[in-house]
């Protein structure tokens, strides 16, 4: 029986934001659908629903990126993920406005 010095908080894995850019997929799909078939009502409605889901996920992803920065994540990766989410969100909103 040795005396081990255990901390009260477990070791946490390194903070990563590389997986936080996944909302770009529904944002890209919505922007592509709106760009190619946005003049059809069904395509506009489907693109709007997918885009709304992607925008909500992007807002959550941006919050995760900011939280990861506060915990000491790599600044470059967090900024890259944040830029992808912002550009994807802007693309969907722009396509929704122009296809209207």
């Amino acid at each position: 029986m040795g005396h081990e010095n255990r901390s009260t908080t477990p070791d946490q894995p390194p903070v990563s934001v590389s997986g936080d850019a996944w909302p770009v997929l529904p944002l890209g799909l919505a922007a592509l659908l709106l760009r190619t078939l946005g003049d059809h009502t069904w395509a506009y409605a489907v693109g709007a629903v997918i885009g709304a889901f992607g925008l909500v996920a992007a807002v959550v992803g941006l919050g995760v990126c900011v939280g990861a920065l506060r915990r000491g994540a790599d600044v470059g990766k967090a900024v890259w993920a944040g830029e992808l989410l912002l550009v994807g969100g802007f693309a969907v909103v722009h396509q929704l406005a122009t296809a209207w």
Side-chain angles (χ1 to χ4, degrees), residues 59-70:
V59 169
V60 171
L62 285 171
V64 170
C65 286
V66 170
L69 280 175
R70 289 183 181 167

Side-chain angles (χ1 to χ4, degrees), residues 1-84:
M1 291 192 145
H3 296 296
E4 295 179 17
N5 186 6
R6 294 185 182 184
S7 63
T8 57
T9 59
D11 292 336
Q12 295 181 356
V15 179
S16 173
V17 293
S18 59
D20 295 328
W22 69 267
V24 170
L25 296 175
L27 290 173
L29 178 64
L32 180 67
L33 184 64
L34 289 167
R35 178 137 178 109
T36 58
L37 299 171
D39 54 344
H40 300 288
T41 305
W42 68 268
Y44 186 84
V46 171
V49 169
I50 294 171
F53 171 74
L55 286 172
V56 169
V59 169
V60 171
L62 285 171
V64 170
C65 286
V66 170
L69 280 175
R70 289 183 181 167
R71 289 188 307 270
D74 184 21
V75 175
K77 289 182 181 178
V79 168
W80 174 248
E83 284 180 1
L84 281 176

